[in-house]
Amino acid sequence: MTVSRVINGESNVRPATRDGVNAAIKALNYTPNPAARSLAGAGQLRIALLYSNPSAGFLGEFLVGSLEQAARSDVQLIFEKCEIGDHELEVVNDLIERGIDGVVLPPPLNESAAVLDLLTKARVPTALVASAQPPEDLIAVSIDNRDAALTMTSHILALGHRRVGFIEGDTNQTASVARLEGYRAALDAVGIAFDPQLVANGLFTYRSGLDAAEELLDRADPPSAIFASNDDMAAATVAVAHRRGLDVPGDITVCGFDDTLLATAIWPELTTIHQPIADMARAAIEMLVGSIRRKDGAPGPDHRLLDFTLIRRQSDAAPRRRPRTVTA
């Protein structure tokens, strides 16, 4: 029964037990027989993954985790690009009519009230990824965005920086709001007053990061460090700094969030918050499949917080101390 639960992707198995079963499956080179599983009543589920994310790095990590877990859970993934404000309800209605078994929503679709309302009314099991304030009745996997931003800002402050700029993400997303709260909390903890002039708005895109970085560095008293809400905007900030002849991190520290492939594809490599995007996708599908296949009376949807990690690379340093000018 335990092996069956692991193979079917059910969540009510202890991690150590799951690891042991997976190790045995790998050693024995075991693969489930689809026909036998269908006869046993464990027919292949169809899970829709709707995506619309401006960050290619985030989306890539998310898709990798989703595909890996779908293979383990023997489910068919259906990928649908779905732009908010365009045709998302048409896409969701079509999936409902086709009898989809479940839906996974990464950002920003996880914040779409219209999509969530439609899926809830149709009683389609749904899992949300990376939402800072998910509804209680839906499966959700995320990190503590506020604490992660607080941790990064505190790290920058510990280096000696006192004017720390912040590039906010899309304000329509709860994760963006939580990260701004964490930034402000870190400043408050060391007695630094919040300065709205040190905050610039972004949209989680590289282009918006360029504009936000230019805005912050054009200030009369620019920040000595900039913390961007994702790696795309942090990479854009590094590009703007280089264009202005600034050394990173000698003249300005730049830090990001997510730890996507982009964080190590630029120079210098980014100090960033590692958000386990692929693991979040795996967990969401595992929990969703387990919820769909559970018998009556089993525990309902739950929310799972995964750990984040501050990854220090080459883009942060103590602020450069300028020599004092001596006058005669």
Side-chain angles (χ1 to χ4, degrees):
M1 184 62 72
T2 299
V3 174
S4 176
R5 291 193 182 107
V6 172
I7 292 173
N8 288 327
E10 297 181 20
S11 59
N12 55 336
V13 180
R14 288 180 298 184
T17 303
R18 184 182 304 280
D19 291 343
V21 171
N22 283 328
I25 289 173
K26 183 177 181 180
L28 295 170
N29 196 28
Y30 170 78
T31 56
N33 184 311
R37 298 187 70 194
S38 178
L39 289 172
Q44 191 177 53
L45 299 176
R46 294 183 305 140
I47 304 296
L49 193 155
L50 308 187
Y51 67 94
S52 172
N53 196 297
S55 170
F58 184 102
L59 184 59
E61 292 283 325
F62 182 80
L63 293 179
V64 166
S66 299
L67 288 167
E68 289 179 353
Q69 188 58 46
R72 292 174 187 156
S73 300
D74 189 32
V75 301
Q76 178 187 359
L77 281 186
I78 299 173
F79 296 96
E80 292 281 357
K81 187 171 184 180
C82 192
E83 300 293 346
I84 289 182
D86 186 7
H87 68 303
E88 76 271 22
L89 297 185
E90 179 183 338
V91 170
V92 174
N93 269 315
D94 180 62
L95 289 169
I96 292 171
E97 291 175 2
R98 289 157 57 188
I100 199 72
D101 294 302
V103 172
V104 178
L105 298 176
L109 290 160
N110 59 356
E111 307 285 339
S112 172
V115 169
L116 294 178
D117 183 60
L118 186 56
L119 289 170
T120 300
K121 287 180 178 177
R123 302 177 65 84
V124 176
T126 304
L128 309 182
V129 175
S131 174
Q133 294 180 341
E136 293 184 359
D137 58 341
L138 297 180
I139 292 168
V141 186
S142 63
I143 64 169
D144 188 328
N145 285 275
R146 182 184 185 278
D147 192 35
L150 187 154
T151 298
M152 177 59 83
T153 309
S154 297
H155 166 71
I156 296 170
L157 293 169
L159 292 173
H161 295 276
R162 287 300 174 264
R163 288 187 62 75
V164 181
F166 183 74
I167 300 180
E168 191 175 10
D170 188 341
T171 55
N172 291 318
Q173 296 185 37
T174 54
S176 297
V177 176
R179 291 173 195 178
L180 178 60
E181 290 176 354
Y183 162 78
R184 297 188 62 164
L187 296 176
D188 185 64
V190 295
I192 297 178
F194 172 71
D195 182 355
Q197 290 296 303
L198 289 177
V199 176
N201 295 117
L203 294 170
F204 288 127
T205 64
Y206 187 88
R207 175 73 256 179
S208 70
L210 292 174
D211 295 338
E214 295 280 9
E215 179 184 334
L216 290 174
L217 294 175
D218 276 341
R219 303 291 189 210
D221 186 10
S224 63
I226 294 178
F227 171 26
S229 290
N230 78 342
D231 291 338
D232 294 65
M233 297 190 296
T237 301
V238 171
V240 169
H242 287 164
R243 188 166 62 197
R244 289 173 175 244
L246 299 174
D247 176 68
V248 180
D251 295 313
I252 184 168
T253 278
V254 179
C255 298
F257 200 109
D258 282 343
D259 195 26
T260 58
L261 290 175
L262 183 58
T264 55
I266 65 169
W267 179 85
E269 294 184 356
L270 288 173
T271 291
T272 188
I273 291 291
H274 175 72
Q275 179 173 212
I277 301 167
D279 288 341
M280 290 160 65
R282 293 184 191 100
I285 291 179
E286 177 191 9
M287 294 164 69
L288 182 61
V289 170
S291 176
I292 294 170
R293 288 177 173 162
R294 271 197 297 260
K295 305 299 183 183
D296 292 340
D302 58 45
H303 295 178
R304 187 179 298 179
L305 275 181
L306 301 189
D307 293 333
F308 63 85
T309 310
L310 192 157
I311 305 295
R312 191 174 185 189
R313 296 194 178 98
Q314 292 84 45
S315 66
D316 70 314
R320 177 173 290 173
R321 301 195 180 280
R322 307 291 181 184
R324 290 184 299 173
T325 302
V326 179
T327 57

